[in-house]
Amino acid sequence: MSLITVCLTNWKRPENLEKIIAQVRSQSVPVKIFLWNNGESIINNDIDWYVESSHNAMCSPRWFMAANADTEFVCIYDDDLFLMDNNIFADIVKLADKSPRGSIFGPTGVTLKPGTHYRDAEHHYSFRSIKQEDIRCDIIKGSMMLMRTSELQKKVNLNIFKFKREEDIIVSALMADCQLNQHYCLLSFGDRFNSVGDDDVALWRHDGHMDARELACNEFFPQHND
């Protein structure tokens, strides 16, 4: 029986997909793979649920797929992150079993600084870190977010998820009941993750990205305004 459902979205990075799917499937814990394809058609028989969209629906479809997961854990996964060994998911599940049920785990996170703009917050990246331990933070970024399926489906109304962007901030807030310092950025994993998200497709390169994320923080983390 599968332990984790991995929800992938693809847009203009088909060259990454085959590698990512193979890396996810080779993890030491059993997984299901859901893929919402916003780009060109692909053929891959190792996908459990495949949806091909006639237009780029951006990020919100991954939460629609998460609403249909029936495994203990669900993992939101972007198309620019590589797994560099086969035990990453197993090690995250071990951490999750010792952590609050609403916690989210991922390689990139944010610690907000109340009263300051999102761009001036502390941004954490495991693949750039030399720290040997994980840290608590406020937001796990959408490159990868692993969490308990039951908690996600209980706390977030996923079937009517309409947000095109910044949904990682919204889910981080709702899973933590809008409290700070509830999630885990996996800095100790270091270069077990490899990000290739520096191309023109990356959302952080878009005009207005930081301001849109600041607005989401202001709405869903009341302490951010203090």
Side-chain angles (χ1 to χ4, degrees), residues 27-207:
Q27 290 294 297
S28 59
V29 295
V31 300
K32 290 182 179 180
I33 298 176
F34 293 173
L35 171 63
W36 183 286
N37 186 17
N38 287 315
E40 297 179 4
S41 298
I42 67 166
I43 298 175
N44 188 305
N45 295 324
D46 215 8
I47 300 170
D48 297 288
W49 182 25
Y50 175 72
V51 179
E52 189 166 303
S53 178
S54 61
H55 71 284
N56 180 15
M58 299 186 72
C59 299
S60 57
R62 54 193 186 178
W63 303 105
F64 168 74
M65 292 190 294
N68 288 274
D70 60 3
T71 51
E72 183 175 357
F73 295 93
V74 64
C75 180
I76 302 302
Y77 198 103
D78 211 349
D79 56 1
D80 61 358
L81 185 72
F82 293 154
L83 303 174
M84 306 310 290
D85 71 62
N86 297 339
N87 294 311
I88 290 176
F89 284 173
D91 289 343
I92 298 175
V93 168
K94 290 177 184 177
L95 291 174
D97 285 340
K98 300 182 291 185
S99 304
R101 292 186 61 82
S103 298
I104 306 174
F105 303 82
T108 58
V110 181
T111 300
L112 298 172
K113 296 180 179 179
T116 64
H117 197 284
Y118 173 86
R119 71 170 59 87
D120 299 316
E122 293 183 52
H123 296 261
H124 312 292
Y125 305 89
S126 71
F127 36 84
R128 299 178 188 171
S129 175
I130 59 172
K131 294 185 178 181
Q132 299 301 309
E133 56 185 39
D134 306 320
I135 65 167
R136 300 285 287 269
C137 63
D138 307 321
I139 297 164
I140 297 297
K141 294 185 181 183
S143 58
M144 191 189 110
M145 307 170 72
L146 192 148
M147 65 207 85
R148 291 188 180 276
T149 305
S150 59
E151 291 297 302
L152 179 67
Q153 294 175 348
K154 177 174 68 176
K155 293 186 174 182
V156 184
N157 191 346
L158 299 168
N159 287 306
I160 58 169
F161 218 100
K162 301 298 183 183
F163 300 99
K164 298 294 185 183
R165 293 167 52 178
E166 283 62 66
E167 20 62 67
D168 53 345
I169 293 175
I170 297 162
V171 171
S172 292
L174 295 178
M175 286 286 284
D177 299 319
C178 298
Q179 299 300 306
L180 300 175
N181 206 37
Q182 300 299 306
H183 306 306
Y184 294 85
C185 189
L186 305 171
L187 296 186
S188 70
F189 284 56
D191 58 7
R192 296 175 72 185
F193 295 102
N194 181 29
S195 174
V196 294
D198 290 333
D199 55 21
D200 291 339
V201 181
L203 286 176
W204 63 266
R205 290 186 177 274
H206 294 193
D207 290 341

Side-chain angles (χ1 to χ4, degrees), residues 16-31:
N16 292 354
L17 267 184
E18 293 294 331
K19 185 174 183 179
I20 288 173
I21 290 169
Q23 290 172 345
V24 168
R25 187 62 75 187
S26 67
Q27 290 294 297
S28 59
V29 295
V31 300

